[in-house]
Structure formats: C-alpha cells, structure tokens
Amino acid sequence: MNQNEIIKVSEMYPKAFKELDISLIDNYFAENATKTGFIYDYDSNKWLDISTVDVDEIKQWVLSYNKDKIMPDSKINIEILGIQDKIAVVKIDMYWAESRKGCDYLFLVKENNSWVIDKILYQSILQ
C-alpha cells in the first residue's frame, strides 16, 4: 500500500483548483466522482444548503474558482486517515481563499492499479 501515491493523488485535487487545470481531474478522479459539502457564506453569516456536484460540475468549478487568484500560497495539510487494499480516506485542511479555510475528506479507490479520487466530502471551517 503506497502512501506516497495516495498523497500525490490527493495533492492533485487542490492543485487542479489553484491552476484551473481540468486535466488533473481527468487524470486523478474517478469517472463518476462527486463532491458534496457545505460552504459558509461570510457575507450573510450563514451556511448554504448542502451541495452535491458530479465530475463535470467539478471541472466547471475548477475552471472558474481561482480565476481571480483568490487561493493563497499557504500550506496544505494532508493526513491519511486509513488505507485498505482498494480504498483510502484522506483529510485535507487548507485555505481555499484568504482567511477562508476548508476541511475536505477524500475517498479514494484503486482502479486498474492506480489510486483515484472517488468522493469528496467538505465544509468551510469557521475561525
């Protein structure tokens, strides 16, 4: 069980958003990947409703999220929470924008001897 490969694949998730690079989604996400979670709206001081998007919507989000360079060059904390033969769970804590931290749990699966991100569960972290 190669932890380095799991970390590398996990790093491609925020990198795709930072670099607006959907090829990273094509290469490191499962064909039917989804992203589900909660975003806190700091302007209205409330949580938005739960949102689930499919891989095509993830790609659209990747293409637009960091167009204005809102993602800071800050440390990304990646922690492997568990690894089995065919599944792994990784926790990522990072700043997605200035003073806007998020916690993402990545659920990876092993397909054709390669790890890919299958599901993401996320939420804003209030500070």
Side-chain angles (χ1 to χ4, degrees):
M1 291 181 247
N2 188 338
Q3 290 188 359
N4 290 335
E5 183 182 356
I6 291 168
I7 295 289
K8 178 187 174 219
V9 169
S10 299
E11 290 171 337
M12 295 305 118
Y13 163 56
K15 183 177 182 176
F17 278 83
K18 187 158 181 84
E19 297 179 3
L20 295 95
D21 186 351
I22 63 169
S23 72
L24 296 175
I25 305 302
D26 290 332
N27 293 330
Y28 296 101
F29 276 58
E31 208 173 278
N32 295 314
T34 60
K35 180 173 169 147
T36 300
F38 297 91
I39 295 175
Y40 188 78
D41 184 338
Y42 290 90
D43 294 330
S44 64
N45 292 319
K46 68 176 189 173
W47 287 97
L48 300 178
D49 291 336
I50 191 168
S51 168
T52 298
V53 296
D54 65 19
V55 74
D56 290 329
E57 292 169 294
I58 293 169
K59 289 178 187 179
Q60 292 307 308
W61 202 352
V62 162
L63 288 174
S64 64
Y65 184 77
N66 199 37
K67 271 190 175 177
D68 295 329
K69 308 288 186 213
I70 63 169
M71 291 180 74
D73 290 326
S74 59
K75 186 174 193 283
I76 299 171
N77 296 312
I78 298 177
E79 177 184 359
I80 296 175
L81 300 178
I83 304 173
Q84 298 299 322
D85 294 328
K86 302 290 275 175
I87 62 171
V89 180
V90 174
K91 179 182 177 186
I92 294 181
D93 284 314
M94 62 176 281
Y95 284 93
W96 285 92
E98 197 64 41
S99 301
R100 305 288 190 258
K101 197 169 190 181
C103 175
D104 299 66
Y105 291 92
L106 310 182
F107 297 84
L108 291 83
V109 295
K110 197 166 198 178
E111 292 181 347
N112 304 319
N113 283 333
S114 295
W115 289 99
V116 293
I117 298 167
D118 186 60
K119 306 269 185 273
I120 299 167
L121 187 62
Y122 72 95
Q123 80 158 61
S124 302
I125 297 176
L126 303 183
Q127 300 178 25

